[in-house]
Amino acid sequence: MKLLSAQTAGWLHRRAENVAAALLTAMFLAFMFQIIARYVFNWPVGWTTEVCVLAWLWGVLWGAAFVIREEEEIRFDIIYSAVSPKTRRVFTLITGLALIALYGVSLPAVADYVAFMRVERSAYLKIRFDWLYSIYVIFAVAMLVRYIWLTWRAIRADAPDADLSDKSHVS
């Protein structure tokens, strides 16, 4: 079952990387502005700290949801690469089912809490907190979709990663 063509998926992935790069750039520019304003002009500004924190939060969750590929995820490689592909499939099933359950159970409460946060605003930029923290809902939905897909692939015996027992690619 192919949802997107390779060309469309590649284009979407590059746009997700562009968003992550823009967030990192915004964080860097705000940080540099803060240093120059404070130490060159003796004019401390608070909004720059807010921009840095929000760009970091969005960047990390956006990147984890849309930029990081499955093979780039953190694993206990010593164990994972030492076991057979069948055992790796079982690991993927267990992990996938656990994460689907955790994200699935928590999603309604998370969405309610983020919606509730519309009553608060950030200190300097006065942006509603529900907008600021909506990235977590996006992240949680993306993780649910990712782990449903990975679990489905593991059930079908369609290995989600390369056979790690072949060490010829390791230098």
Side-chain angles (χ1 to χ4, degrees):
M1 178 170 111
K2 195 116 174 147
L3 297 175
L4 297 172
S5 71
Q7 184 178 6
T8 302
W11 185 87
L12 288 171
H13 189 262
R14 287 189 303 279
R15 298 305 69 84
E17 287 175 335
N18 294 150
V19 170
L23 289 165
L24 190 58
T25 301
M27 184 175 63
F28 175 75
L29 292 174
F31 181 69
M32 293 308 296
F33 182 81
Q34 181 178 31
I35 290 171
I36 292 167
R38 179 176 298 246
Y39 296 110
V40 174
F41 299 111
N42 196 25
W43 179 50
V45 289
W47 64 266
T48 54
T49 303
E50 205 169 275
V51 168
C52 287
V53 168
L54 295 172
W56 179 253
L57 173 70
W58 271 76
V60 167
L61 293 176
W62 180 270
F66 301 114
V67 177
I68 300 293
R69 293 184 172 108
E70 176 60 22
E71 60 271 9
E72 298 168 338
E73 294 270 341
I74 296 173
R75 292 192 179 99
F76 293 107
D77 277 348
I78 294 171
I79 298 169
Y80 193 78
S81 62
V83 298
S84 70
K86 185 177 179 180
T87 304
R88 272 189 233 125
R89 206 170 102 222
V90 171
F91 286 174
T92 301
L93 274 170
I94 293 168
T95 303
L97 291 172
L99 289 172
I100 290 166
L102 289 170
Y103 282 117
V105 167
S106 69
L107 188 60
V110 165
D112 284 346
Y113 187 72
V114 169
F116 167 75
M117 292 303 291
R118 73 180 173 278
V119 300
E120 295 286 330
R121 293 185 180 269
S122 64
Y124 290 97
L125 300 175
K126 303 297 183 204
I127 301 170
R128 287 178 16 187
F129 273 7
D130 60 335
W131 286 101
L132 298 178
Y133 296 110
S134 63
I135 186 61
Y136 187 78
V137 177
I138 296 167
F139 165 79
V141 169
M143 291 296 101
L144 266 170
V145 170
R146 174 181 285 189
Y147 282 100
I148 288 169
W149 176 248
L150 288 172
T151 302
W152 173 249
R153 288 182 65 189
I155 289 169
R156 289 184 51 224
D158 184 14
D161 57 17
D163 183 6
L164 297 177
S165 61
D166 174 19
K167 304 290 189 235
S168 62
H169 64 282
V170 178
S171 55

